[in-house]
């Protein structure tokens, strides 16, 4: 199984809502990532978890709150988002052992903030 | 983190080889060169990676210059399904995979 599964595929939320994006992998990977991608732009790294601990936070606003409850799951909790946060949110996973490893990406959650 | 420079876009005729260049003049000695592609509305897909030597797999070949300041991704027989954005990435410390602008490859029949 070389899949990274993201749910939901589409999400519409109001600016006062709280919602969560979920990501799951069963490849035994111990590094997991969140990216944000706006239309016609490259993916922007948001967070990296290594061995279930947050290792990189790319100065992401606190309205985005990541969580890694176990080695297979990664969540992104959303609260008080702005319309400009509308984007495709991508999850990825890889082995954290050095740099000789490929990352697998999910198909993303397309988020619209209204 | 090492930066990469790629052409904004390229065209390739179907069935011909597509050669996608990437400059990474600030690469460090132990940093790998990775290539990913993203087909419209899908998640990025890993293609190939290398450190010093040329690499080949079922999808592509990667040629890295001896000084490691540039590399070329080669798709030997491009098809219409290879139309995508191709990203050359130097992986930073701590699994930091940062995407640059990439090259839009259009394969035409």
């Amino acid at each position: 199984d070389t899949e990274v599964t993201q749910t939901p595929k589409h999400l519409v939320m109001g600016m006062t809502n709280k919602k969560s994006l979920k990501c799951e992998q069963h490849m035994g990977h111990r590094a997991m990532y969140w990216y944000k991608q706006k239309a016609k732009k490259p993916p922007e790294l948001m967070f990296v978890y290594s061995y279930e601990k947050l290792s990189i936070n790319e100065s992401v606003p606190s309205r985005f709150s990541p969580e890694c409850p176990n080695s297979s799951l990664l969540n992104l909790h959303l609260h008080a988002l702005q319309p400009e946060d509308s984007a495709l949110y991508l999850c990825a996973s890889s082995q954290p052992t050095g740099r000789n490893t490929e990352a697998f990406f999910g198909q993303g959650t397309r988020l619209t903030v209204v | 983190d090492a930066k990469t420079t790629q052409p904004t876009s390229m065209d390739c005729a179907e069935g011909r080889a597509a050669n996608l260049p990437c400059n990474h003049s600030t690469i460090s000695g132990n940093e790998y060169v990775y290539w990913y592609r993203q087909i419209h509305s899908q998640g990025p897909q890993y293609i190939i990676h290398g450190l010093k030597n040329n690499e080949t797999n079922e999808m592509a070949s990667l040629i890295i210059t001896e000084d490691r300041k540039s590399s070329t991704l080669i798709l030997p027989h491009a098809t219409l399904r290879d139309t995508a954005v191709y990203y050359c990435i130097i992986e930073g410390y701590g699994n930091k995979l940062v995407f640059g602008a990439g090259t839009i490859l259009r394969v035409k029949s």
Side-chain angles (χ1 to χ4, degrees), chain A residues 46-110:
Chain A
M46 299 174 73
F47 303 104
V48 180
Y49 272 83
S50 182
Y51 295 99
E52 295 86 68
K53 291 194 183 335
L54 184 64
S55 58
I56 295 175
N57 176 344
E58 292 287 88
S59 303
V60 179
S62 60
R63 58 185 183 270
F64 296 91
S65 175
E67 178 196 21
C68 191
N70 61 55
S71 60
S72 300
L73 293 175
L74 184 66
N75 298 321
L76 186 63
H77 303 298
L78 313 172
H79 173 56
L81 294 194
Q82 303 297 311
E84 58 264 28
D85 296 320
S86 298
L88 180 69
Y89 288 83
L90 293 160
C91 173
S93 72
S94 74
Q95 292 296 355
T97 51
R99 297 165 181 169
N100 189 13
T101 179
E102 63 182 280
F104 291 81
F105 284 80
Q107 294 305 295
T109 293
R110 191 160 297 281

Side-chain angles (χ1 to χ4, degrees), chain A residues 33 35 37 42 99-101 103, chain B residues 34 36 38 49 91 95 97 100:
Chain A
Y33 314 72
Y35 286 84
Q37 186 173 27
R99 297 165 181 169
N100 189 13
T101 179
Chain B
Y34 283 79
Y36 285 78
Q38 189 172 23
H49 73 281
E91 189 183 24
N95 292 105
L97 209 59

Side-chain angles (χ1 to χ4, degrees), chain B residues 31-75:
Chain B
E31 289 180 322
Y32 282 79
V33 180
Y34 283 79
W35 284 83
Y36 285 78
R37 72 180 183 183
Q38 189 172 23
I39 296 170
H40 182 62
S41 296
Q42 297 183 20
Q45 176 190 23
Y46 165 83
I47 301 172
I48 199 167
H49 73 281
L51 183 63
K52 296 179 185 176
N53 301 320
N54 298 339
E55 302 286 346
T56 294
N57 63 20
E58 64 277 5
M59 285 183 70
S61 295
L62 175 60
I63 309 297
I64 302 174
T65 58
E66 194 169 341
D67 63 8
R68 303 209 330 119
K69 292 184 186 299
S70 65
S71 60
T72 300
L73 178 75
I74 301 172
L75 306 179

